[in-house]
Amino acid sequence: MELWYTEQQTDNVRLSMKVKRHLYSEKSEFQQVDVFDTEEFGRLLTIDGLVMVTQKDEFIYHDMITHVAMATNTDIKNVLVIGAGDGGTVRELTRYNTIEKIDMVEIDELVVKASKEYLPFTASKLDDPRVNLYFEDGIKFVEGKENLYDLIIVDSTDPIGPGEGLFTTEFYTNCYNALTEKGILVNQNESPYYENNAREMKRAHSKIKKIFPIAEAYQYHMPTYPSGHWLFGFASKALHPIKNLNAEKWNSLGLKTKYYNTEIHVGAFALPTYVKEMLEDETV
Amino acid sequence: MELWYTEQQTDNVRLSMKVKRHLYSEKSEFQQVDVFDTEEFGRLLTIDGLVMVTQKDEFIYHDMITHVAMATNTDIKNVLVIGAGDGGTVRELTRYNTIEKIDMVEIDELVVKASKEYLPFTASKLDDPRVNLYFEDGIKFVEGKENLYDLIIVDSTDPIGPGEGLFTTEFYTNCYNALTEKGILVNQNESPYYENNAREMKRAHSKIKKIFPIAEAYQYHMPTYPSGHWLFGFASKALHPIKNLNAEKWNSLGLKTKYYNTEIHVGAFALPTYVKEMLEDETV
């Protein structure tokens, strides 16, 4: 008997991964959480049947969600991470000695529990003394906060279920207020290729650019996400991701990274024409 | 009843596309050629069960295989295209008035026949008066040719079946000799993500860089190819793809492109660290 995990990426596209074992399956009050051991991708975490993390390519996502901001402002001290229950984003952040405090707000404790047990490669740094873990709603957490964080990372699921409120103007405005004067917001910004993802990509960017004076998007290759073509948003009150890139300083840190480097930092902001046009579209 | 086309991308990974109709199925002396009409991707051409072209994302592949070279040397007059039976590469080349001659060498006439009938969106320019179509083996075609072409594009399948000889040192050396003094070679250079593709990616690049003084690789997002992370090689006797990029001139041509632009031209050469390391590996 062969076991396959199949993700319905759109109504008309499916990606299937051969499974060795189904290791974990629990339902929280928010969502369905599963862990598989797969042949090609190692451990696989899914939420509500969608790929969140695989052992084979999580380095791409976690490199790109953290190091772009950290190389733009090498003085970041206080960070807020919303979502990211697998721990991979925090793992990358803890590599910076300059970071003093990481508040991580994950709505669903079950994701952290499952990750600590089955995804030690991402969850290994959640016990770092600088990390404060809150099992709360990130949307409420940022309300009323002012001038507290140098970096906010929104490491969310798609805008369905508990992730939906993380794609609203009100939430992004609260993030703006919670940031310090050189503050940077990095957000999971969906994908241009399939229609459902592209609509959310456009909406998120359209909202953010009305709030932040600097609002860009950058791309990366994420093979296990639909189409493999995925984006993060980079928004800031004052820092431009290319003009303010401090490549020399970042490279002097000597951090070994498998995907990120300061050339791809710049290259990732060069977007295909059809993606640029979507992000400039004011009618969404 | 639902029809699905499923590609076995590796032993442990499958991509499936919902099919409206199976339009065409013929076997030539070289390979099995099929055309499907799919829900998400429009027309789909497969060879030996592998995705070659889809209507939805062929623009990405064909933009990136032609315009990078054409913007590096805006004086290209004579072009040799090997493979590319669907016609998409020739379609993009014929948009340049400066090109005087395109020799296209496709080993399998059946691919061109099927494309002309079922993929008019790519095959539409094969009748351009500047195009000379040869149904021959590209490997033999370049043997002994000297100083003839400003650009050679190797638009091949994977290095199995008839495509295999297009990944050899002998073939690349013949291409070098067939090129003019500023000649450029662009080749389908596989992908870094899955082991089988990565091995061929490394081998092809390793051979080319021993022959050409300038040998680089650039990446693009190709959702219907395994992993979606795909590369072309750029090699030249004299021209560097970034130092010699003539962005102003290319932009003055006013060509409308959906993926390519002169920023992504530069950005595409910024590769992830793990890919750079693979391409620098001398042990392959």
Side-chain angles (χ1 to χ4, degrees), chain A residues 47-173:
Chain A
I47 291 183
D48 289 341
L50 300 176
V51 172
M52 293 293 120
V53 179
T54 88
Q55 196 167 357
K56 186 179 170 93
D57 63 8
E58 59 86 6
F59 75 95
I60 299 169
Y61 184 92
H62 293 125
D63 268 17
M64 292 304 274
I65 204 171
T66 53
H67 302 308
V68 171
M70 294 304 298
T72 304
N73 179 5
T74 55
D75 291 324
I76 286 172
K77 290 183 176 62
N78 294 307
V79 184
L80 171 62
V81 177
I82 296 174
D86 58 82
T89 299
V90 162
R91 181 196 65 203
E92 289 306 307
L93 289 169
T94 58
R95 301 175 72 191
Y96 293 89
N97 296 328
T98 44
I99 290 181
E100 295 170 1
K101 189 176 81 159
I102 303 168
D103 287 342
M104 174 173 149
V105 186
E106 164 61 57
I107 200 167
D108 193 349
E109 190 169 2
L110 193 69
V111 178
V112 174
K113 272 191 183 165
S115 300
K116 280 189 169 177
E117 186 161 357
Y118 294 101
L119 282 68
F121 49 89
T122 53
S124 58
K125 299 295 180 186
L126 289 174
D127 298 326
D128 186 285
R130 293 169 291 173
V131 176
N132 308 300
L133 205 40
Y134 299 87
F135 296 113
E136 294 178 24
D137 184 351
I139 299 158
K140 294 212 180 101
F141 189 90
V142 293
E143 275 176 19
K145 295 236 176 355
E146 277 183 37
N147 195 31
L148 278 178
Y149 298 106
D150 305 310
L151 170 62
I152 298 178
I153 296 179
V154 185
D155 183 353
S156 69
T157 56
D158 293 337
I160 40 167
E164 197 175 349
L166 301 173
F167 285 76
T168 63
T169 297
E170 190 186 351
F171 171 70
Y172 296 135
T173 305

Side-chain angles (χ1 to χ4, degrees), chain B residues 131-183:
Chain B
V131 177
N132 309 300
L133 205 40
Y134 299 87
F135 296 113
E136 294 177 24
D137 184 351
I139 299 158
K140 295 210 179 98
F141 189 90
V142 292
E143 275 175 20
K145 295 239 176 351
E146 276 184 37
N147 195 30
L148 279 178
Y149 298 105
D150 306 309
L151 170 63
I152 298 178
I153 295 179
V154 185
D155 183 355
S156 69
T157 57
D158 293 336
I160 40 167
E164 197 175 349
L166 300 174
F167 285 77
T168 63
T169 296
E170 191 186 351
F171 171 70
Y172 296 134
T173 304
N174 288 333
C175 287
Y176 181 93
N177 292 331
L179 285 167
T180 54
E181 60 177 334
K182 287 188 181 172

Side-chain angles (χ1 to χ4, degrees), chain A residues 5-281:
Chain A
Y5 161 82
T6 294
E7 177 167 323
Q8 191 88 31
Q9 296 191 320
T10 79
D11 288 345
N12 305 309
V13 185
R14 294 174 181 162
L15 184 72
S16 304
M17 309 178 182
K18 197 170 181 182
V19 167
K20 288 183 195 175
R21 273 183 70 196
H22 190 170
L23 297 170
Y24 181 85
S25 187
E26 291 285 342
K27 199 172 165 64
S28 72
E29 62 176 303
F30 304 105
Q31 51 207 358
Q32 174 67 39
V33 179
D34 289 273
V35 181
F36 302 86
D37 195 15
T38 71
E39 294 282 353
E40 182 72 41
F41 304 96
R43 295 286 167 94
L44 160 67
L45 172 73
T46 68
I47 291 183
D48 289 341
L50 300 176
V51 172
M52 293 293 120
V53 179
T54 88
Q55 196 167 357
K56 186 179 170 93
D57 63 8
E58 59 86 6
F59 75 95
I60 299 169
Y61 184 92
H62 293 125
D63 268 17
M64 292 304 274
I65 204 171
T66 53
H67 302 308
V68 171
M70 294 304 298
T72 304
N73 179 5
T74 55
D75 291 324
I76 286 172
K77 290 183 176 62
N78 294 307
V79 184
L80 171 62
V81 177
I82 296 174
D86 58 82
T89 299
V90 162
R91 181 196 65 203
E92 289 306 307
L93 289 169
T94 58
R95 301 175 72 191
Y96 293 89
N97 296 328
T98 44
I99 290 181
E100 295 170 1
K101 189 176 81 159
I102 303 168
D103 287 342
M104 174 173 149
V105 186
E106 164 61 57
I107 200 167
D108 193 349
E109 190 169 2
L110 193 69
V111 178
V112 174
K113 272 191 183 165
S115 300
K116 280 189 169 177
E117 186 161 357
Y118 294 101
L119 282 68
F121 49 89
T122 53
S124 58
K125 299 295 180 186
L126 289 174
D127 298 326
D128 186 285
R130 293 169 291 173
V131 176
N132 308 300
L133 205 40
Y134 299 87
F135 296 113
E136 294 178 24
D137 184 351
I139 299 158
K140 294 212 180 101
F141 189 90
V142 293
E143 275 176 19
K145 295 236 176 355
E146 277 183 37
N147 195 31
L148 278 178
Y149 298 106
D150 305 310
L151 170 62
I152 298 178
I153 296 179
V154 185
D155 183 353
S156 69
T157 56
D158 293 337
I160 40 167
E164 197 175 349
L166 301 173
F167 285 76
T168 63
T169 297
E170 190 186 351
F171 171 70
Y172 296 135
T173 305
N174 288 333
C175 287
Y176 181 93
N177 293 331
L179 285 167
T180 54
E181 59 177 334
K182 287 187 180 174
I184 297 170
L185 172 71
V186 171
N187 67 298
Q188 194 281 86
N189 210 107
E190 296 287 315
S191 165
Y193 189 71
Y194 295 121
E195 202 184 341
N196 281 353
N197 301 125
R199 191 172 50 238
E200 301 304 338
M201 178 195 81
K202 288 191 276 185
R203 279 188 191 157
H205 188 71
S206 166
K207 289 169 186 168
I208 290 170
K209 75 181 172 188
K210 285 182 185 125
I211 301 166
F212 285 82
I214 295 161
E216 305 285 338
Y218 60 102
Q219 65 185 8
Y220 54 102
H221 288 88
M222 193 64 197
T224 56
Y225 285 5
S227 87
H229 188 177
W230 220 259
L231 269 70
F232 288 122
F234 177 108
S236 175
K237 295 185 176 183
L239 298 178
H240 188 275
I242 295 178
K243 289 177 201 147
N244 294 102
L245 165 62
N246 198 338
E248 202 181 334
K249 178 78 177 290
W250 191 86
N251 284 308
S252 77
L253 299 176
L255 295 179
K256 222 173 131 45
T257 45
K258 208 172 148 191
Y259 191 92
Y260 178 83
N261 56 61
T262 50
E263 291 87 49
I264 209 167
H265 176 125
V266 176
F269 285 91
L271 302 177
T273 304
Y274 85 104
V275 181
K276 286 208 291 184
E277 287 171 357
M278 281 181 178
L279 293 175
E280 286 159 10
D281 184 357

Side-chain angles (χ1 to χ4, degrees), chain B residues 15 36 42 65 68 71 94 99 151-152 170 225-226:
Chain B
L15 185 72
F36 302 86
I65 204 171
V68 171
T94 58
I99 291 181
L151 170 63
I152 298 178
E170 191 186 351
Y225 285 5

Side-chain angles (χ1 to χ4, degrees), chain A residues 4 10 12 14 16 18 40 56-57 193-194 220-221 258-261 263 271-274 276, chain B residues 4 10 12 14 16 18 40 56-57 193-194 220-221 258-261 263 271-274 276:
Chain A
W4 290 78
T10 79
N12 305 309
R14 294 174 181 162
S16 304
K18 197 170 181 182
E40 182 72 41
K56 186 179 170 93
D57 63 8
Y193 189 71
Y194 295 121
Y220 54 102
H221 288 88
K258 208 172 148 191
Y259 191 92
Y260 178 83
N261 56 61
E263 291 87 49
L271 302 177
T273 304
Y274 85 104
K276 286 208 291 184
Chain B
W4 288 78
T10 81
N12 305 310
R14 293 174 181 161
S16 304
K18 197 169 181 183
E40 182 72 41
K56 186 180 170 93
D57 63 7
Y193 189 71
Y194 295 122
Y220 53 101
H221 287 90
K258 207 171 147 191
Y259 192 92
Y260 178 84
N261 55 60
E263 291 87 51
L271 302 177
T273 304
Y274 85 104
K276 288 208 289 184

